[in-house]
Amino acid sequence: MSVPPNYIQTSKSRGSFFNNPANRALIYQFLLLMGLGYFFYIIISNTMSNMEARGIKSGISFLGETAGFDILMSLIPYDSTHTYGKTFIVGLLNTLLVSVIGIFLATIIGFIMGVAHFSRNWLISKSSTVFIETFRNIPLLLQVFFWYFAVLSSLPSARQSLSIGEAFFLNVRGLYLPHLAGDEGSVVVYGAVFIAITSIIALHRFAKIQQEKTGKQLPVLRLSLAILIVLPLFATLIMGTPFHWELPVLKGFNYQGGTTIIPELIALSLALSIYTGAFIAEAVRAGVQSVPHGQTEAARSIGMNEKQIMKLIIVPQAMRVISPLLNSEYQSLVKNSTLATAIGYPDLFTVFVGTTLNQTGQAIEIVFMTMAVYFAINMFISVLMNLFDKKVSLITR
Amino acid sequence: MKFKFTLAAVIVAGAATSLTVQAGTLEDVKSKDYLSCGVSTGLAGFSQKDEKGNWSGLDVDVCRGVAAAVLGDASKVKYKPLTAKERFTALQSGEIDILSRNTTWTQTRDTSLGLNFAGTIYYDGTGFLVRKKLGVKSATELDGAAACIQAGTSTELAISDYFRDKKMSFKVVTFDTSDQTRSGFESGRCDFLTSDQSQLYALRIGLKDPAGAIVLPEVISKEPLGPVVRQGDDAWFNIVKWVVNASIEGEFQGVTSANAKTLRASGKPGQKRLLGTEGDLGMKLGLSPDWAYNIMTQVGNYAESFERNVGQGSPLKIKRGINAQWNNGGILYSPAMR
Ligand SMILES: N[C@@H](CCC(=O)N[C@@H](CS)C(=O)NCC(=O)O)C(=O)O
């Protein structure tokens, strides 16, 4: 085997600027960048002039025009006299809503099912396996349809609603809940809730420091619950109960008043959280399995009970494995939420890419805006999860 | 590195030279020897596929007419089923040569999508389909009701206008496809289904219990349905426009699939001009003289097409109404064919 000549040495000795690989790399990278820039410039300007030549309208001025159509559900006031720009916001908020609900439920389902796998109870551990294998392997779209049409077809019509105490109603149009409306003075109660939460956080900090110093454990959970209940309750009583319930009442075709949860939201949240939950369960299982058995035995030998072992030994170490997987599952969930369009849940994709795009015909602008939104949401999740990741890896040192 | 750079250069060069060449659709259709026609995913009477895979309907007959006129054979059509949301993009991108999918001619669509409407083959309007047991007799009783609609349609706008005008509230559930819309209605998710009235009759016969639903008398908007082509190809635009006119004029002149052959030799001057034995109408369109003769013999005139697909010869049993000839109580009127 011959020894290759020392490349850098020779090029340096020749002293030519272009023969220096570092310089050359720089030049090529610069040229590539220029090329790419030119490439995109050409694509964009070509598209623009093509669209103009074909008489297709472009630009974003449409965002200020009146939309003229209604949307099933909106978290902010919206009707058909509002603008296309507003339809973007309405859709965006609905997307965020179903994503947050989905991520929350999927995490709970995933952790319960993932840990259930290790249960000593045969039935529980087997049902975890069946759950994971079933829901991971059925296409999500089918699951969305299943929940939607299963939910719809098993529910009664508005006039035969199922009801609990004439306050909760369930029918094919959705779930109708009483709405707690705040009167004058309710702010004080909201303030009390806020103070309660802050003091609970402080309590946790304090308990931890206390334990590290003295080894004593405070009954944190019980104390927290007490604070959370007592403080707001006290405020409510002092202010003379500044709330009243708005009950849904049957008027004409359906219930009005109160809060409505539409079946599309229920079905989509169920489908997304169960599907993603199955993947998270699998990740949790892998994470727990990655913790060597010796750790459990060591913990047992110093007298920890099973609950403590799970909480203090296994979960913190398993989190290192689980956390990056969670990140990608959450991101998939957000992207998968666009399946809303199949059942008419008015998310960003249904409203903006579905209806707004078709009423305005401005495909490029609308698709671009929508892509940017999903990109931004996922970047945000990524940043949060990376912070979380740092935290769990620090804890385990 | 070098390889990457070369690749980039090639791509850039390619992008720079990809000019806005848009070949004439007529030449294009002739050279591939079939017409690519955008239709619905399945709507009785307008465009629907049977078990054997044959498409039929009023919208389909426009495509068959164009194929007969241009290629001499009404069967040389490839159908592309499209949902309401997909249809305009499919036409803009050149995936189809003509869009014939119960599409409403609106000013916005005509002027901002880079498309042209080539005529009206059915004058329609938005209507309401409700379950009988709701006991509703008129749309004015629908305050607070929920509507099932297909996304990306002009219906979405019409229904909002109506309820706003009548100061009534309503909820709208929008679905992607007409199957989903119908399932939504059947499962009771909404109180009524709204769409162009002709489509309501078509959807109604597809319900599990057609007798359990009725179409309300109100028609709340103008929905003139017709074929669409890309803007900027006038030759093709003319062809589609005059194929539509020829079918209407055929009925007016009394030319049918049965008598076209005889009339070609011995008809009145107008009939002969249409059938290509007098004048040169076909040549002026860039087509052969027997272009309209082929339409008449292979597809039939408007009346034949109407009765076969949506009229008395079909399960829909729609009356001619305003879709009759102008001299017969309707508003169908073809410009002069001379
Ligand atoms: N004329 C309306 C079309 C309305 C429309 O698409 N209607 C539905 C009825 S629910 C339909 O035909 N769907 C058939 C399909 O999606 O294939 C428009 O142009 O926007």
Side-chain angles (χ1 to χ4, degrees):
Chain A
M1 221 175 85
S2 64
V3 180
N6 190 332
Y7 187 53
I8 294 176
Q9 205 60 49
T10 41
S11 73
K12 247 187 195 158
S13 62
R14 262 196 229 147
S16 160
F17 179 79
F18 289 102
N19 279 346
N20 182 333
N23 290 344
R24 271 218 312 231
L26 220 71
I27 291 169
Y28 279 140
Q29 270 165 22
F30 178 72
L31 286 178
L32 184 65
L33 211 68
M34 294 284 288
L36 269 178
Y38 183 63
F39 175 64
F40 282 113
Y41 167 75
I42 288 294
I43 285 196
I44 291 169
S45 67
N46 240 2
T47 309
M48 299 291 277
S49 65
N50 271 354
M51 287 193 354
E52 204 176 304
R54 292 182 194 176
I56 302 175
K57 217 176 129 206
S58 63
I60 55 161
S61 59
F62 73 96
L63 288 173
E65 288 162 23
T66 306
F69 59 88
D70 283 87
I71 300 176
L72 178 57
M73 177 189 127
S74 173
L75 297 175
I76 50 172
Y78 172 85
D79 65 53
S80 62
T81 60
H82 291 198
T83 63
Y84 286 124
K86 196 76 170 277
T87 67
F88 174 76
I89 308 286
V90 170
L92 174 61
L93 290 176
N94 287 344
T95 286
L96 291 177
L97 177 71
V98 76
S99 302
V100 168
I101 295 178
I103 286 177
F104 180 73
L105 293 179
T107 311
I108 294 178
I109 294 175
F111 272 81
I112 291 177
M113 284 300 173
V115 171
H117 177 79
F118 299 97
S119 168
R120 297 227 184 87
N121 182 325
W122 183 86
L123 198 64
I124 294 183
S125 109
K126 263 284 158 296
S127 44
S128 147
T129 315
V130 170
F131 172 85
I132 294 176
E133 291 312 321
T134 311
F135 288 104
R136 263 184 358 146
N137 292 319
I138 297 176
L140 180 55
L141 182 61
L142 282 185
Q143 296 193 35
V144 172
F145 277 137
F146 170 77
W147 289 116
Y148 188 52
F149 287 106
V151 166
L152 278 194
S153 57
S154 59
L155 291 174
S157 71
R159 285 172 195 171
Q160 275 125 24
S161 301
L162 307 169
S163 74
I164 305 176
E166 294 305 306
F168 298 83
F169 300 91
L170 183 65
N171 63 42
V172 67
R173 305 290 161 74
L175 178 62
Y176 294 80
L177 310 170
H179 174 74
L180 189 62
D183 305 328
E184 225 179 311
S186 56
V187 214
V188 180
V189 182
Y190 299 143
V193 173
F194 178 74
I195 294 173
I197 292 174
T198 356
S199 38
I200 288 172
I201 295 174
L203 176 71
H204 274 254
R205 289 260 164 85
F206 174 73
K208 210 170 153 196
I209 296 170
Q210 194 69 11
Q211 194 195 348
E212 272 165 18
K213 264 198 213 144
T214 65
K216 273 207 198 102
Q217 285 184 343
L218 290 175
V220 182
L221 189 66
R222 256 173 268 166
L223 277 176
S224 311
L225 276 179
I227 296 176
L228 198 60
I229 292 170
V230 170
L231 259 178
L233 195 67
F234 191 60
T236 309
L237 289 180
I238 286 187
M239 297 312 295
T241 324
F243 293 105
H244 69 270
W245 289 101
E246 268 174 27
L247 298 184
V249 277
L250 186 59
K251 251 199 232 149
F253 292 92
N254 215 334
Y255 286 88
Q256 326 240 302
T259 303
T260 315
I261 303 179
I262 55 173
E264 289 76 17
L265 176 61
I266 300 175
L268 187 63
S269 310
L270 270 178
L272 286 175
S273 53
I274 290 177
Y275 180 76
T276 314
F279 281 91
I280 293 180
E282 187 67 2
V284 169
R285 204 178 69 166
V288 171
Q289 255 159 8
S290 76
V291 181
H293 192 59
Q295 300 262 344
T296 316
E297 282 166 355
R300 247 183 232 141
S301 71
I302 60 167
M304 285 189 167
N305 64 27
E306 294 301 314
K307 222 173 101 191
Q308 284 172 325
I309 295 176
M310 214 24 158
K311 197 177 143 211
L312 299 171
I313 306 294
I314 299 189
V315 168
Q317 298 190 77
M319 274 326 277
R320 281 188 308 188
V321 174
I322 300 173
S323 144
L325 296 173
L326 277 185
N327 187 358
S328 73
E329 291 310 332
Y330 291 165
Q331 297 193 16
S332 307
L333 187 141
V334 172
K335 287 181 279 182
N336 286 338
S337 73
T338 53
L339 286 177
T341 182
I343 56 168
Y345 173 74
D347 76 330
L348 183 64
F349 201 73
T350 309
V351 172
F352 204 54
V353 181
T355 300
T356 305
L357 191 158
N358 271 278
Q359 302 302 352
T360 60
Q362 301 205 268
I364 303 221
E365 295 83 354
I366 287 179
V367 169
F368 188 80
M369 281 174 75
T370 310
M371 272 166 31
V373 163
Y374 284 98
F375 180 74
I377 297 178
N378 275 349
M379 283 308 279
F380 180 71
I381 291 181
S382 213
V383 167
L384 278 190
M385 289 309 289
N386 283 339
L387 285 179
F388 179 69
D389 206 36
K390 283 224 178 74
K391 191 148 181 265
V392 290
S393 41
L394 262 184
I395 287 173
T396 57
R397 276 177 278 266
Chain B
M1 176 54 76
K2 199 161 223 158
F3 169 70
K4 269 194 210 152
F5 177 69
T6 328
L7 189 70
V10 168
I11 295 173
V12 169
T17 48
S18 74
L19 292 169
T20 68
V21 266
Q22 200 182 349
T25 314
L26 176 60
E27 288 72 49
D28 196 32
V29 168
K30 274 187 181 157
S31 72
K32 64 184 180 188
D33 201 32
Y34 69 84
L35 176 77
S36 176
C37 169
V39 290
S40 80
T41 59
L43 183 67
F46 286 82
S47 42
Q48 200 181 30
K49 197 158 79 167
D50 64 16
E51 314 82 58
K52 291 190 212 95
N54 295 322
W55 285 87
S56 65
L58 205 55
D59 280 337
V60 163
D61 278 354
V62 173
C63 295
R64 298 185 63 231
V66 173
V70 174
L71 303 170
D73 184 350
S75 66
K76 286 187 174 167
V77 185
K78 284 198 181 155
Y79 296 96
K80 171 91 189 141
L82 298 165
T83 67
K85 276 163 51 172
E86 296 160 346
R87 56 186 157 174
F88 298 121
T89 320
L91 184 59
Q92 286 167 334
S93 66
E95 196 181 342
I96 51 177
D97 304 313
I98 171 176
L99 174 70
S100 185
R101 185 207 168 280
N102 49 309
T103 299
T104 302
W105 184 352
T106 71
Q107 186 181 348
T108 304
R109 288 174 178 175
D110 203 354
T111 55
S112 70
L113 299 179
L115 305 174
N116 278 335
F117 282 78
T120 301
I121 62 152
Y122 189 99
Y123 291 92
D124 210 337
T126 301
F128 303 84
L129 180 73
V130 299
R131 251 181 304 282
K132 245 190 203 147
K133 64 169 192 267
L134 222 52
V136 171
K137 292 277 171 300
S138 147
T140 52
E141 300 163 35
L142 288 173
D143 192 6
C148 281
I149 313 190
Q150 188 163 352
T153 59
S154 44
T155 319
E156 285 186 277
L157 305 176
I159 198 73
S160 287
D161 275 4
Y162 179 76
F163 277 85
R164 181 143 62 96
D165 177 45
K166 293 272 184 273
K167 303 209 165 38
M168 301 195 296
S169 72
F170 80 119
K171 286 272 175 234
V172 45
V173 195
T174 32
F175 295 92
D176 255 7
T177 68
S178 71
D179 279 347
Q180 288 162 9
T181 316
R182 199 188 48 222
S183 314
F185 175 68
E186 283 192 310
S187 65
R189 176 64 183 96
C190 37
D191 301 294
F192 65 98
L193 192 158
T194 175
S195 183
D196 303 344
Q197 213 177 37
S198 64
Q199 289 142 42
L200 296 180
Y201 289 109
L203 285 167
R204 186 167 164 258
I205 55 172
L207 293 176
K208 282 186 208 106
D209 172 25
I214 52 164
V215 176
L216 295 180
E218 279 90 351
V219 172
I220 60 165
S221 70
K222 282 182 177 176
E223 309 284 339
L225 312 176
V228 199
V229 294
R230 277 181 292 280
Q231 189 172 307
D233 187 347
D234 286 0
W236 185 247
F237 178 45
N238 281 342
I239 289 172
V240 176
K241 181 162 64 188
W242 285 99
V243 166
V244 170
N245 288 336
S247 143
I248 296 170
E249 182 72 0
E251 179 189 5
F252 182 68
Q253 299 263 9
V255 180
T256 66
S257 54
N259 67 16
K261 200 159 183 182
T262 9
L263 291 181
R264 177 141 86 147
S266 59
K268 291 186 236 167
Q271 296 169 332
K272 284 175 123 181
R273 217 168 20 244
L274 179 67
L275 296 172
T277 37
E278 239 176 74
D280 55 0
L281 290 180
M283 208 184 76
K284 285 173 178 146
L285 281 174
L287 301 174
S288 70
D290 55 3
W291 67 286
Y293 173 75
N294 290 337
I295 302 176
M296 290 306 135
T297 51
Q298 299 181 26
V299 185
N301 67 27
Y302 184 84
E304 294 175 80
S305 194
F306 189 98
E307 297 304 346
R308 179 172 66 230
N309 294 308
V310 298
Q312 300 312 312
S314 78
L316 298 183
K317 305 254 179 295
I318 298 176
K319 298 207 176 61
R320 284 295 288 271
I322 63 170
N323 290 298
Q325 294 284 337
W326 60 279
N327 54 353
N328 223 344
I331 56 172
L332 283 198
Y333 187 106
S334 162
M337 294 194 73
R338 59 167 70 251

